Structures are given as structure tokens and as C-alpha cells.
Amino acid sequence: MHPKIAFLILSAFAAMTMAAPQNPTETPADVEGAITAQDIAQALPVGTVHQLADGEPEVSIAAVERTHVKVCKDINFRGRCETLTANKQRCYDLFNGWSNEISAFGPERGTSCTIYDNRGCYGPEYAGIRYPGISDLRRVGWNDRASSYRCV
């Protein structure tokens, strides 16, 4: 775990412990200055190379169906690659050197993804990318074009 993330989690836990309600009927939301799950989610990074396009934190008590996508800078899944973890049905913007830099895109089995020309899953799109993915996005006119993606 990244040291900054560990520090943020420990700090949040310590703050929540100190802000524990004195009255057993109070909830943390009733205590002025209490840190909420929303506060923690906003402080933690969503991912290393992508983030939710709508800026909303990924906090939910409901079960979330996750998937994985492999992206690579070079064709044939070579060169700089990263496996991204994403919630299905959510739009993710690519950043940190990945926007308009992907030459291979591969979702895991059972997942279908769409890549988009613009951030926010907007604009021209290439849909229906399934396992094992597209090892050479030049073949479909999408080399170095994707700025965001959504998987289902």
C-alpha cells in the first residue's frame, strides 16, 4: 500500500475514534467535525491511471461488480502496460500519460468495454471490445485515441 494512502487511512481512523459520540444514541454525522466515509473517499485517489469521469467518489455499501482492463502503450500488449480495476457501468477518464496513448486494450473475460475519443465517455466511440481485446488498435482506427472508457 502506498505510504500516503496508509497515512490517510490511519489519520481518518484516529480522527473518527476521537470524534466518537459521547452519547450512545448519536451517530458520527451528529458530531460536529466527524469524518465521514465521503470525506475519506474524497481524500483517497481512485486509481493510478484513471479516475471516475463524474468526479464522484467510489463509496457504496452495495455490492459493486468490478472488472479489469489491460492497457498498453504498444501494440500486441507490449511496452508500458497497466491493469486497471474498474467498477462496471461507470465511466473512467484516462490520465497520467495514458490518454490518447493506448495501442492495445484488453478487458477480462465476461466484460465488454467501450472506448471514447473524449473524457467523460463522450464523443466518437468504439464499442463491444471483449476478451481477449484488441492487440492492435491501429486495425480499427483507434490507436492513440482513447481518452475514457466504460465496461459492462
Side-chain angles (χ1 to χ4, degrees):
M1 178 179 287
H2 193 277
K4 286 184 180 179
I5 294 173
F7 175 76
L8 283 171
I9 292 170
L10 288 173
S11 297
F13 179 74
M16 286 190 298
T17 302
M18 287 186 265
Q22 300 301 315
N23 179 345
T25 62
E26 287 181 325
T27 65
D30 296 330
V31 178
E32 186 177 333
I35 295 176
T36 66
Q38 183 90 356
D39 296 329
I40 295 168
Q42 289 173 343
L44 298 176
V46 175
T48 58
V49 298
H50 68 172
Q51 65 186 13
L52 285 170
D54 59 13
E56 291 296 315
E58 290 190 80
V59 175
S60 174
I61 57 171
V64 175
E65 189 174 1
R66 294 188 186 268
T67 189
H68 300 91
V69 176
K70 184 173 184 177
V71 294
C72 295
K73 176 127 175 69
D74 298 332
I75 64 168
N76 298 320
F77 294 98
R78 299 202 185 270
R80 179 179 166 221
C81 294
E82 188 130 4
T83 299
L84 311 177
T85 301
N87 290 341
K88 288 188 173 184
Q89 308 291 340
R90 297 298 303 258
C91 175
Y92 289 89
D93 288 339
L94 296 161
F95 66 100
N96 284 350
W98 287 103
S99 184
N100 301 320
E101 294 290 327
I102 294 173
S103 296
F105 186 94
E108 71 183 2
R109 290 183 196 274
T111 300
S112 176
C113 298
T114 301
I115 53 178
Y116 297 85
D117 230 358
N118 302 311
R119 292 185 182 275
C121 295
Y122 167 76
E125 63 184 55
Y126 188 87
I129 304 172
R130 298 181 186 281
Y131 180 85
I134 301 173
S135 63
D136 186 353
L137 287 169
R138 296 178 302 186
R139 292 181 300 149
V140 295
W142 274 83
N143 189 52
D144 296 340
R145 278 183 69 182
S147 292
S148 59
Y149 71 97
R150 179 188 323 266
C151 298
V152 294

